[in-house]
Amino acid sequence: MRTIKGPGIFLAQFAGDAAPFNSLDAIADWAAALGYKGLQLPSNDTRLFDLALAAQSQDYCDEVTGKLAAKGLAITELSTHLQGQLVAVHPAYDALFDGFAAPEVRGNPQARQAWAVEQMGLAAVASRRLGLTTHASFSGALAWPYFYPWPQRPAGLVEDAFDELARRWKPILDVFDENGVDIGFEIHPGEDLHDGITFEMFLARTGNHPRANILYDPSHFVLQQLDYLAFIDIYHERIKCFHVKDAEFRPSGRIGVYGGYQNWVDRPGRFRSLGDGQVDFGQVFSKMAQYDYAGWAVLEWECALKHPEQGAAEGAPFIARHIIRTTDRAFDDFADSGSDRALNRKLMGF
């Protein structure tokens, strides 16, 4: 068994125009001072990382990794959550998702989708140049507006949506395969891949593509009331990325899983900073160790109550405490009596 790498931190929720969050150098110093060992980089934010240049230039990639290594940091994964979302957008969300795209393709869904596919290809090449073998993304969604079947869905609607989703992603997965990189799709409400069954539906339509994998985040399962520990038992072979994020679910007689259109702070299901929610991270990390998860444990901070800088400061020691240094021996080796095949046969009366 391997020891999980970490703690890491996803920078998307921290990047901004004010120092130290407006450049990779400065935000890396901030993260290292808090005790983080890895950075998950949002590839859409040019203040931190130039995706197009990274896909072109090995020198740029070496410069970035060398600069981070000098600070005691590594890149855990690149993230294309926003670009991956744009691979598949239902028309109902065109206006809302346009802001995720480059200005020149906004207002043109076809051009926007082509841009997103190109971005994914750049991310595959850039990941290889950076020496990475995993990547974090979203699947996008074509069927999400119909997740609750009222009025009754036309026969075959969901099947057609997943056929199209797989058709769009299969060439992208092939590019990642050519570059030796797995995509970890974050299983997330709002995406067509939002639970185990929908991931299976997609996986089957890609021919069980070896690069179609999972970014595991238990917080999204708490909000759905899905068994987040059993999920690891079922899908551990496909879990390639790990967001360490807490959540709580406290229903009432007035509001439940769907949230009643309330703001995050007033929902019964809401994200919390690490240690403030209900996720049993002792069991989560134990299962990840048991199944020999080889990747990083990466903080994704999202909380309706706590300031992000406090959440980040508390997150590094929290993750460090939960990482299990896996054993290289059996606990009862001291009582090993030695054996051979002849003794085994004798013991069993053969």
Side-chain angles (χ1 to χ4, degrees):
M1 296 183 294
R2 287 163 287 193
T3 298
I4 295 172
K5 294 178 283 189
I9 185 170
F10 185 28
L11 296 181
Q13 284 86 0
F14 298 95
D17 291 328
F21 307 109
N22 57 352
S23 73
L24 185 59
D25 263 346
I27 203 169
D29 286 336
W30 168 80
L34 293 177
Y36 290 99
K37 305 298 182 185
L39 305 179
Q40 190 176 85
L41 300 182
S43 67
N44 62 297
D45 194 330
T46 54
R47 292 170 298 191
L48 305 182
F49 186 74
D50 189 326
L51 179 61
L53 181 57
Q56 291 176 350
S57 170
Q58 187 63 51
D59 287 343
Y60 173 72
C61 291
D62 293 345
E63 177 187 347
V64 170
T65 55
K67 192 178 297 186
L68 292 179
K71 303 174 188 293
L73 294 165
I75 300 172
T76 67
E77 300 91 8
L78 297 180
S79 152
T80 53
H81 283 80
L82 301 192
Q83 301 100 310
Q85 183 79 62
L86 299 184
V87 170
V89 176
H90 187 280
Y93 297 103
D94 270 338
L96 292 172
F97 282 144
D98 243 7
F100 290 1
E104 63 270 18
V105 298
R106 294 173 187 168
N108 185 335
Q110 290 74 33
R112 184 186 63 205
Q113 199 255 344
W115 173 85
V117 171
E118 179 185 33
Q119 287 280 297
M120 295 304 303
L122 294 176
V125 175
S127 294
R128 173 178 55 79
R129 288 190 182 280
L130 291 164
L132 304 175
T133 57
T134 55
H135 180 76
S137 197
F138 275 152
S139 67
L142 300 172
W144 183 252
Y146 312 107
F147 87 99
Y148 197 85
W150 178 255
Q152 186 182 58
R153 291 189 294 250
L157 176 70
V158 170
E159 290 76 10
D160 288 347
F162 273 80
D163 287 347
E164 176 63 17
L165 188 70
R167 186 193 69 79
R168 295 186 187 190
W169 275 103
K170 177 63 164 58
I172 299 171
L173 290 165
D174 289 343
V175 172
F176 273 81
D177 194 32
E178 292 164 7
N179 285 276
V181 180
D182 292 317
I183 299 181
F185 290 104
E186 184 166 359
I187 307 301
H188 187 295
E191 310 304 311
D192 279 342
L193 309 190
H194 60 271
D195 57 15
I197 291 295
T198 51
F199 176 74
E200 291 178 22
M201 292 164 62
F202 175 75
L203 187 62
R205 286 167 169 80
T206 65
N208 293 315
H209 202 292
R211 300 300 177 179
N213 292 288
I214 292 170
L215 187 163
Y216 174 78
D217 181 338
S219 69
H220 299 299
F221 300 148
V222 171
L223 270 56
Q224 295 183 65
Q225 291 296 279
L226 185 154
D227 188 333
Y228 57 86
L229 296 176
F231 186 95
I232 302 175
D233 291 330
I234 298 167
Y235 299 108
H236 57 89
E237 291 182 354
R238 290 279 178 173
I239 294 174
K240 303 296 183 180
C241 308
F242 177 19
H243 273 173
V244 188
K245 192 171 76 179
D246 213 342
E248 62 186 356
F249 182 69
R250 303 182 186 279
S252 71
R254 303 177 66 210
I255 187 171
V257 169
Y258 300 117
Y261 296 115
Q262 300 305 294
N263 293 324
W264 277 111
V265 72
D266 296 318
R267 295 185 185 191
R270 58 188 185 178
F271 302 125
R272 298 299 308 274
S273 284
L274 289 182
D276 296 342
Q278 297 170 340
V279 175
D280 185 346
F281 281 107
Q283 283 298 304
V284 168
F285 275 84
S286 292
K287 284 188 177 290
M288 298 293 260
Q290 173 186 345
Y291 291 119
D292 201 22
Y293 170 69
W296 284 84
V298 176
L299 168 74
E300 183 182 25
W301 174 87
E302 290 180 345
C303 183
L305 298 175
K306 186 170 285 184
H307 192 280
E309 291 183 44
Q310 183 182 355
E314 294 171 352
F318 182 94
I319 293 173
R321 285 197 308 272
H322 282 82
I323 290 176
I324 296 169
R325 181 185 175 190
T326 54
T327 182
D328 58 359
R329 68 196 69 167
F331 66 86
D332 55 357
D333 275 354
F334 76 95
D336 183 11
S337 61
S339 63
D340 55 33
R341 296 297 297 278
L343 176 60
N344 291 343
R345 295 178 63 83
K346 180 179 179 181
L347 290 171
M348 293 183 287
F350 294 162

